Amino acid sequence: MKLKGKHVIFSFILFITGFLVAFSYQLTSEESKIVRMNEEQLQEDIKYRESLNQVEQKNKELRAELLELKDGIRSFEEKLGNQEDLVSTYLDEKKELEMVTGEVPIQGPGVTITLNDANYIPSEDNVNDYIVHDLHVHLVVNELLSSGANAISINGQRLLKNSHIACIGPVISVDGEQHPAPFVISAIGDPEVLNASFELQNGVLDVLVSDNVEVTVEKKDQIKMDARVSGE
């Protein structure tokens, strides 16, 4: 009986020892697994951070490219704006040139100056001293041009930069077209300025009157002039 009791105790000790060994092994295995999981998570975290850094770097590069593109667009818009100003200026100058050369119709406020032969001619005087001559027409045209007239016509015929005015007997020839008196000289421009230029003392108006030319000056709200005929 005594031997049997020792055997039981010994068996119990072995059982406890085996249990502790098994428990210790299981605990070590679990800890190892936890450590491995932590290492895997750490590697994943490192990869994630690297990916995030790459994305942030790429975003930084894209933002830099975007700013560069915006600067390029802004520079292009400024150049385009300057070109538009140049084109606008060119078109304005072209339009003014076409108006001067009579290539396009023109209308606007201005004045009309009517020159007519004298109604009364003394029998003992020379008739040529009482009619309108090309000199008188030239005086009026030059005065209008110096006062800023944009366009001028004589009896409806557009006067051009190189127009030729000549006296042929009782008529006036403008670029080969003959016009009898009265001569209605129309000018488009500032009516006040154009009219004032003829009211100057000892000016063109006084010269015309002293030459026995009947003169009428009228301000107009609207004067229309056609373009010159093609081939003129």
Side-chain angles (χ1 to χ4, degrees), residues 1-231:
M1 289 294 294
K2 189 174 182 180
L3 181 60
K4 187 176 181 180
K6 289 182 179 180
H7 180 73
V8 171
I9 292 171
F10 182 73
S11 297
F12 178 74
I13 291 172
L14 289 176
F15 173 76
I16 293 300
T17 301
F19 175 78
L20 291 174
V21 170
F23 179 76
S24 177
Y25 174 79
Q26 184 177 0
L27 182 61
T28 302
S29 178
E30 291 293 334
E31 289 179 351
S32 177
K33 185 177 181 181
I34 292 173
V35 171
R36 285 198 300 271
M37 289 180 63
N38 289 338
E39 289 179 353
E40 291 176 357
Q41 290 176 352
L42 180 61
Q43 292 298 325
E44 290 180 359
D45 185 65
I46 292 173
K47 290 181 180 180
Y48 172 76
R49 290 179 181 275
E50 289 177 350
S51 298
L52 183 61
N53 289 335
Q54 291 176 358
V55 170
E56 289 179 349
Q57 181 63 30
K58 187 64 176 179
N59 287 340
K60 186 183 295 184
E61 293 174 357
L62 290 174
R63 283 195 295 269
E65 290 180 7
L66 180 60
L67 290 176
E68 186 176 352
L69 288 173
K70 285 184 177 179
D71 290 340
I73 292 173
R74 189 179 300 110
S75 177
F76 175 77
E77 288 176 342
E78 290 176 356
K79 291 180 180 179
L80 183 61
N82 293 335
Q83 290 178 353
E84 288 178 350
D85 291 339
L86 290 175
V87 171
S88 178
T89 301
Y90 168 76
L91 291 176
D92 290 340
E93 292 177 352
K94 179 176 180 290
K95 186 175 182 180
E96 291 179 3
L97 182 60
E98 288 176 337
M99 289 179 180
V100 171
T101 58
E103 297 292 340
V104 295
I106 184 174
Q107 61 181 359
V111 297
T112 59
I113 296 93
T114 303
L115 307 182
N116 206 354
D117 299 334
N119 284 327
Y120 173 73
I121 302 176
S123 58
E124 67 275 10
D125 290 347
N126 188 341
V127 67
N128 287 324
D129 294 335
Y130 293 87
I131 64 174
V132 180
H133 295 281
D134 55 347
L135 171 64
H136 302 130
V137 176
H138 276 294
L139 282 174
V140 173
V141 170
N142 290 336
E143 182 65 26
L144 291 171
L145 290 174
S146 64
S147 299
N150 297 319
I152 299 174
S153 67
I154 299 176
N155 286 5
Q157 181 180 346
R158 190 80 170 266
L159 198 64
L160 308 177
K161 188 175 182 180
N162 59 346
S163 289
H164 178 68
I165 302 172
C167 187
I168 304 177
V171 299
I172 295 293
S173 172
V174 180
D175 296 332
E177 294 288 332
Q178 295 184 3
H179 300 277
F183 306 104
V184 180
I185 304 172
S186 301
I188 293 177
D190 188 327
E192 300 299 330
V193 175
L194 296 176
N195 183 70
S197 67
F198 283 87
E199 294 180 347
L200 296 174
Q201 188 174 3
N202 298 323
V204 173
L205 184 60
D206 290 340
V207 172
L208 294 172
V209 172
S210 67
D211 284 350
N212 302 310
V213 176
E214 294 186 359
V215 186
T216 303
V217 181
E218 296 179 280
K219 291 185 286 187
K220 298 290 184 179
D221 294 330
Q222 189 76 298
I223 297 175
K224 294 182 180 180
M225 296 184 189
D226 296 329
R228 68 175 182 175
V229 178
S230 178

